[in-house]
Amino acid sequence: MSIPSVLTAQPNSYDRLSELKRFDESKLGVKGLVDSGLTTIPRFFHHPPDTLPAPKPDRTTRPVYKIPIIDLSGDHAVAIEQVRRASTTLGFFQIINHGVALSKINGLISAIKAFNEQAAEIKMKYYHREISYGASFSSNFDLFQSRAASWRDTLVVRLSPILPDWKYVPEICRNEVAEWEREMIKVGDKLLGLLSEGLGLERSKLKEMTCLNGRTVVNHYYPYCPQADLTVGIASHTDPVVVTVLAQNDVGGLQVKVGEDDWVDVEPVPGALVINIGDILQIMSNDEYKSVEHRVLANPVQEPRISVVFFFNPGDRENIYGPIPEIVSSEKPPVYRNFSLTDFVTRFLTKELDGKSLINYYRL
């Protein structure tokens, strides 16, 4: 593959918008740029120095923070308390013995890897940004809104409440994505029950609020980056959802923000699923549960990082959501205003990933 023209613009003729359009219209994605043999990344991937991760200090001086690992096969009351504690503090934890076979996790990861490593001309058929089809493959959903692009390609499949047109889901991973949804519904049911009980509510509360019904799977592929110190895999952000369930391969890079400035690695644990609280659940819980900023570093190794991110959201986009009435009181009044899910999602999709600005918009 020859190096595309997006990489060969002269410095004195740089036009960022034109370069973005040229990159997007090439339908190569970042994997295509890597395959072209580039050794320097295009300028629009360069992040401002003050937003880039600082060089890692020696492990003896790095912050030590273990992401909680919760065994769902143990005592139910213990699991509720562990989920509650993790959700009210860090907002991130991993679960094991969750009922999903390791073979299904590995099968899904392999299928997403296989899709991304097909010939460019095959992937180009799926490259577009029109989510109304229920599935889209592109690089950087916020490519034209962000100050700098990030080094990843993504296949998004909207699963429910509006069903996808499955012919737009690549055949090489179609069955695995459909099977993953079936598995995630079972995991989500367990998880929402624990989260509801952790708030002192009936187990079925979040499920009754249709929080199991809005489902989207986002499949990220982070190839090797030849200048990983100049960009990121995905910028710091919180998730605009109720709760996120993530499966990842053994290539690290996911980090969580702890405190004001410290970032800690979420080390891959074989067979574990990573859970994080989303902005909508922080609002629903009236700040009891915390959504937390997280990011993915640009990948400096030859083996790609692959993550499958499953989002749960309310199924009724026109319903009004806000702090759950049973949680608020005169002692704990609502700290957020109500909103429709349509308004929430629209605001997310028309801005770049930028920390917790979206949730702060709804704060009273």
Side-chain angles (χ1 to χ4, degrees):
M1 181 188 297
S2 61
I3 296 179
S5 59
V6 69
L7 303 179
T8 57
Q10 297 301 312
N12 60 359
S13 63
Y14 182 71
D15 179 335
R16 184 174 187 275
L17 181 58
S18 295
E19 297 302 298
L20 289 174
K21 289 179 177 178
R22 196 176 303 161
F23 167 68
D24 199 44
E25 291 168 0
S26 76
K27 300 186 177 183
L28 289 172
V30 293
K31 177 61 164 61
L33 298 185
V34 172
D35 290 345
S36 72
L38 88 168
T39 56
T40 59
I41 65 176
R43 191 189 306 186
F44 58 81
F45 284 101
H46 292 202
H47 282 245
D50 61 328
T51 67
L52 287 168
K56 289 185 178 181
D58 184 87
R59 282 190 175 271
T60 59
T61 61
R62 288 173 62 189
V64 177
Y65 195 106
K66 291 291 185 182
I67 305 300
I69 299 176
I70 300 173
D71 188 341
L72 296 191
S73 68
D75 180 81
H76 185 66
V78 172
I80 293 172
E81 175 56 23
Q82 289 178 332
V83 167
R84 185 202 66 78
R85 189 183 309 127
S87 301
T88 56
T89 53
L90 182 62
F92 247 80
F93 55 96
Q94 300 199 58
I95 57 174
I96 58 174
N97 293 321
H98 39 63
V100 183
L102 180 60
S103 60
K104 290 188 177 180
I105 297 174
N106 290 340
L108 176 66
I109 295 290
S110 295
I112 299 304
K113 183 175 187 288
F115 165 70
N116 281 277
E117 295 181 356
Q118 294 178 110
E121 56 267 24
I122 297 176
K123 290 191 296 179
M124 283 178 180
K125 295 186 299 182
Y126 297 99
Y127 193 103
H128 64 87
R129 297 181 182 275
E130 184 49 72
I131 195 60
S132 64
Y133 300 140
S136 66
F137 171 62
S138 65
S139 183
N140 289 255
F141 82 92
D142 59 346
L143 182 67
F144 295 99
Q145 289 85 38
S146 63
R147 287 171 293 176
S150 299
W151 201 255
R152 72 182 185 282
D153 296 329
T154 303
L155 172 66
V156 179
V157 184
R158 183 201 61 216
L159 297 162
S160 175
I162 302 173
L163 301 179
D165 186 337
W166 284 98
K167 71 173 178 286
Y168 291 104
V169 181
E171 186 175 4
I172 195 170
C173 59
R174 189 178 300 160
N175 290 338
E176 287 80 3
V177 168
E179 175 61 23
W180 193 248
E181 181 186 21
R182 290 189 285 270
E183 294 293 337
M184 288 297 97
I185 290 172
K186 292 182 285 187
V187 170
D189 185 57
K190 292 179 188 176
L191 191 58
L192 290 179
L194 291 167
L195 289 165
S196 293
E197 291 180 282
L199 291 171
L201 303 170
E202 292 294 325
R203 183 190 186 283
S204 60
K205 181 62 179 180
L206 290 173
K207 186 176 180 180
E208 289 171 354
M209 296 178 70
T210 73
C211 293
L212 192 64
N213 295 6
R215 300 187 293 273
T216 301
V217 63
V218 178
N219 307 279
H220 292 308
Y221 183 94
Y222 303 88
Y224 164 72
C225 181
Q227 292 180 301
D229 58 331
L230 297 181
T231 190
V232 296
I234 191 167
S236 173
H237 67 286
T238 55
D239 292 342
V241 300
V242 173
V243 69
T244 299
V245 182
L246 177 144
Q248 58 183 337
N249 67 350
D250 59 1
V251 177
L254 176 61
Q255 293 188 323
V256 175
K257 191 175 184 179
V258 178
E260 291 297 319
D261 300 304
D262 291 333
W263 289 86
V264 297
D265 298 326
V266 181
E267 300 287 354
V269 174
L273 297 172
V274 180
I275 310 299
N276 68 274
I277 303 301
D279 290 342
I280 292 178
L281 187 51
Q282 177 167 336
I283 292 173
M284 285 180 165
S285 70
N286 206 36
D287 271 353
E288 287 295 313
Y289 290 161
K290 313 297 184 187
S291 66
V292 65
E293 290 184 53
H294 51 287
R295 68 188 182 191
V296 176
L297 306 181
N299 181 14
V301 301
Q302 292 296 325
E303 182 66 19
R305 170 178 167 80
I306 296 162
S307 66
V308 177
V309 190
F310 202 95
F311 293 134
F312 286 101
N313 254 329
D316 187 346
R317 294 188 65 146
E318 299 310 316
N319 197 11
I320 300 301
Y321 299 94
I324 298 172
E326 294 92 322
I327 293 176
V328 300
S329 64
S330 57
E331 291 77 27
K332 293 184 177 180
V335 294
Y336 296 98
R337 55 193 171 89
N338 294 339
F339 58 89
S340 72
L341 189 62
T342 294
D343 179 68
F344 195 93
V345 172
T346 299
R347 290 184 183 280
F348 175 77
L349 293 176
T350 53
K351 71 178 189 67
E352 66 174 333
L353 293 175
D354 59 348
K356 298 192 72 164
S357 67
L358 183 61
I359 194 171
N360 291 333
Y361 175 82
Y362 294 97
R363 191 178 291 277
L364 291 171

